Amino acid sequence: IHTWKHYEEIMELTSLIVMQRPDSKKKTDITYISDEIHFSKNPHIDLSSTMIRNKVKNKKSIRYLTPETVVNNIQKEGLYL
């Protein structure tokens, strides 16, 4: 999180819920950044923003991986067919 652009501003505006990735070896202690970081006990879904960007770049469907509004906006902006 500390590498995110303007992460301090984000942390001032909201709480974060952290979802653990399937390939995570351990839970990183990031609670030092804010008391408003919470960890979810979630089912593991192999999905990342990098995967979404690569699919868009390679003109692959992201339908059902993102909200329909995201798909529509990407199509509207001509970012992929």
Side-chain angles (χ1 to χ4, degrees):
I1 293 174
H2 66 279
T3 61
W4 294 358
K5 184 176 182 177
H6 306 298
Y7 81 92
E8 299 95 341
E9 293 175 36
I10 295 169
M11 298 309 304
E12 287 177 16
L13 295 171
T14 190
S15 299
L16 291 181
I17 299 175
V18 177
M19 309 288 279
Q20 189 174 358
R21 291 185 177 179
D23 60 347
S24 294
K25 300 288 189 270
K26 63 177 182 167
K27 186 185 339 183
T28 304
D29 184 13
I30 57 173
T31 55
Y32 69 91
I33 295 172
S34 170
D35 292 335
E36 294 300 318
I37 296 177
H38 310 281
F39 292 89
S40 173
K41 293 182 179 181
N42 57 287
H44 296 285
I45 301 171
D46 191 16
L47 183 64
S48 69
S49 58
T50 300
M51 179 189 298
I52 300 293
R53 286 191 298 272
N54 285 337
K55 285 184 173 290
V56 170
K57 179 181 173 184
N58 293 309
K59 300 185 182 340
K60 303 287 185 186
S61 175
I62 59 169
R63 199 168 303 279
Y64 309 116
L65 301 176
T66 63
E68 194 66 24
T69 54
V70 173
V71 175
N72 293 340
N73 194 44
I74 289 172
Q75 289 174 333
K76 178 181 164 189
E77 296 297 322
L79 299 175
Y80 87 106
L81 302 175

